[in-house]
Amino acid sequence: MPTDQPRTLSVGFVPGVTPGKWVARWRERHPEAPLELHQHDDDALAALREGSDDVVFVRLPVDRAGLHLIPLYEEQPVVVVSRDNELSLYDDVPVEELEGETLLDIAECGGPKTAMEVAASGAGVVVLPMSLARLHARKDAVHRPVPGLPTTTIGIAWRVEDESDDVEEFIGIVRGRTAQSSRQPSQREAPKKTASQKAAAKKAGAGGGGKEQKGARKPPSGKQARPSGTRGKRR
C-alpha cells in the first residue's frame, strides 16, 4: 500500500447491508491498514459528507450532489404479515392481493423494526426489502416475496474530492478487482524515468570500469605485442 494513506479506513453502511465479504478481502490484502465499520440507522450520507466515514453503503435513491456513487445490487421486495394472515399461505404474493390489506408506512411507524412489530400484531402489512425483513425477523411474523413490486438498490458512495488511494483500493475490492489488478493503487508501477533521468543513469554506468584507458594501444589482430624494451633482429 502507498505510504501516504491514512492509518484507518472508515466504512459506513445502512441496515440490511452485509459488507463482511469486502471487509474480509481488505483485511486479507492489507493487514497493516485498519478498517472500521459503522452502521447508521438513519442517514448514512451525513457521516460521509461530514467526513467521519470515507465510504458508505446506501439504499437508493439518495442525493448524489458532490458524491461518486456506484449501484451494486438489487434487493427483493417482500411483504411482512402476521402468521395468521392468509397471505402467509403464499410462496410468492401477487401484487393484487395487497389491495385488500392495510399497508403500513415505514416512516410513520418509526422505522422498519417497529413497522414489523405492528404487522406482526395483525394491524396491517408492510412492504420492505428482504434484507431488512431478515434483519428484524420475528417468530410471530413471516415475509413473502412480491415479484410484481419494484426492487430497491444498494450502492456505494464516496466524496468527489476524496481521491485517496485507500478509498480507491476499497472501491476496487467492492467492484471485484483482484489483488493483482493493475487498476488497484497497490499494484501500480513506479513512475517511469524521464529522458534526462535515463541519460544521467547511462552516463553514470559508463563512468565505471570496463573501458580501456586512453593512450593504451591494442595490437593488430593476429599479431602479438612485442615485449617492451626489446628489438627485432635483422637477418
Side-chain angles (χ1 to χ4, degrees), residues 59-209:
R59 185 171 283 107
L60 306 184
V62 296
D63 179 9
R64 301 191 181 197
L67 302 176
H68 292 302
L69 193 148
I70 301 174
L72 297 176
Y73 61 90
E74 294 184 340
E75 298 177 296
Q76 170 69 49
V78 300
V79 60
V80 178
V81 302
S82 69
R83 288 193 173 274
D84 297 330
N85 192 301
E86 292 183 356
L87 295 182
S88 64
L89 301 177
Y90 285 94
D91 291 327
D92 294 331
V93 177
V95 176
E96 55 269 20
E97 291 296 328
L98 299 179
E99 295 177 359
E101 300 289 337
T102 301
L103 203 58
L104 302 172
D105 185 278
I106 296 176
E108 291 180 359
C109 290
K113 183 177 181 181
T114 306
M116 288 185 60
E117 291 177 359
V118 177
S121 72
V125 302
V126 61
V127 173
L128 72 177
M130 183 182 290
S131 62
L132 290 177
R134 289 176 172 173
L135 178 65
H136 302 300
R138 300 172 53 89
K139 293 182 179 180
D140 52 356
V142 297
H143 63 268
R144 297 289 183 262
V146 188
L149 292 179
T151 60
T152 51
T153 303
I154 295 295
I156 187 168
W158 69 101
R159 296 179 297 277
V160 169
E161 68 272 15
D162 191 346
E163 298 180 353
S164 58
D165 285 346
D166 63 324
V167 168
E168 185 177 346
E169 186 85 8
F170 186 76
I171 297 299
I173 288 175
V174 172
R175 299 187 73 174
R177 294 176 191 160
T178 65
Q180 291 75 35
S181 172
S182 60
R183 300 184 66 184
Q184 291 294 80
S186 57
Q187 294 298 313
R188 287 175 184 160
E189 295 181 357
K192 293 183 178 180
K193 293 182 179 180
T194 63
S196 59
Q197 289 173 328
K198 290 180 179 178
K202 185 176 181 180
K203 184 177 180 181

Side-chain angles (χ1 to χ4, degrees), residues 46-68:
L48 178 63
R49 294 188 188 280
E50 69 186 18
S52 57
D53 279 340
D54 300 304
V55 299
V56 292
F57 293 93
V58 293
R59 185 171 283 107
L60 306 184
V62 296
D63 179 9
R64 301 191 181 197
L67 302 176
H68 292 302

